[in-house]
Amino acid sequence: CDARKDAIQSLQLESGERIGPRYVFDATNAFRLLPKLLGMKPKSLVTDLRIIFTHFLLDPRKKDTLRIEDHHWMQFSNVLRHYKSVSGFEGTSWCIPLRDYVSVGTSVPGSVSLSEDELMEVTLQQFKKRNIDIAEFYNQPTKRQVIHTDLYYYPKVHGRNWLLAAGCACQPWFTT
């Protein structure tokens, strides 16, 4: 890399061969190869975010009778903001219906002491208060996943012949 020209001059392949690229797109997402090689430091948006999510499978007995158009919440993604005064914690949840299953999850600061079971229970209760009764049709949870992550962005995402793409440039929400 030539810092004065803000350009990638060559890349060494695994075989040892060097090539002179016209343009380098880094889409290595969380690995962030180019920022590491260029000595770039990300700016933090959130540190220590805990994400709990699962998929609830459609009850097979309801498969033939489910009419998505009869249920407003099944027609789009639903996002719910949690407030300490209402839910007992600060956070964000989602419910994304995908016909045969629903993705449900919650993201909270790592400092929230509630267990994953407690967080999921509160999330389901809060959705139900808003007429999103997930268990009415989707009552078979898959294995729950827990991810700890940081959210970040790079103030500079391109140079003369290079570009940081997707999760390599910024991570404003978690990915699985």
Side-chain angles (χ1 to χ4, degrees):
C1 176
D2 185 334
R4 290 173 295 137
K5 292 183 180 178
D6 196 21
I8 306 293
Q9 300 298 312
S10 68
L11 295 172
Q12 183 172 342
L13 304 179
E14 193 173 76
S15 67
E17 176 187 1
R18 286 194 168 274
I19 60 171
R22 282 190 177 169
Y23 216 91
V24 178
F25 291 90
D26 186 350
T28 58
N29 290 323
F31 188 71
R32 300 181 268 174
L33 180 62
L34 270 182
K36 287 177 184 175
L37 294 175
L38 297 172
M40 297 169 64
K41 302 291 183 210
K43 299 284 185 181
S44 179
L45 294 169
V46 175
T47 58
D48 193 27
L49 187 66
R50 181 169 55 140
I51 298 111
I52 299 95
F53 69 97
T54 190
H55 294 159
F56 289 90
L57 304 177
L58 178 63
D59 182 336
R61 298 169 295 179
K62 305 214 175 175
K63 190 170 188 154
D64 294 332
T65 59
L66 175 62
R67 291 175 30 95
I68 290 174
E69 59 272 13
D70 292 343
H71 306 278
H72 73 282
W73 66 271
M74 292 184 189
Q75 297 172 34
F76 48 82
S77 296
N78 304 272
V79 178
L80 173 68
R81 175 73 168 95
H82 293 281
Y83 296 95
K84 192 168 184 95
S85 61
V86 177
S87 300
F89 60 91
E90 298 287 330
T92 305
S93 292
W94 69 90
C95 168
I96 304 171
L98 298 162
R99 177 72 184 150
D100 292 333
Y101 69 95
V102 174
S103 174
V104 178
T106 300
S107 61
V108 296
S111 60
V112 171
S113 62
L114 294 173
S115 72
E116 284 82 20
D117 288 339
E118 292 168 320
L119 288 167
M120 188 58 71
E121 183 59 34
V122 170
T123 296
L124 294 172
Q125 288 171 0
Q126 291 299 322
F127 274 124
K128 191 171 184 175
K129 284 182 181 179
R130 291 156 180 83
N131 296 315
I132 299 174
D133 188 1
I134 296 163
E136 180 182 358
F137 293 97
Y138 300 91
N139 59 5
Q140 300 176 31
T142 61
K143 183 180 178 194
R144 188 172 301 143
Q145 304 291 317
V146 179
I147 298 171
H148 293 268
T149 192
D150 296 329
L151 305 182
Y152 60 87
Y153 72 97
Y154 285 93
K156 181 176 177 72
V157 296
H158 64 88
R160 194 162 160 211
N161 73 336
W162 59 270
L163 173 76
L164 305 181
C168 192
C170 67
Q171 186 66 52
W173 189 251
F174 86 99
T175 58
T176 57

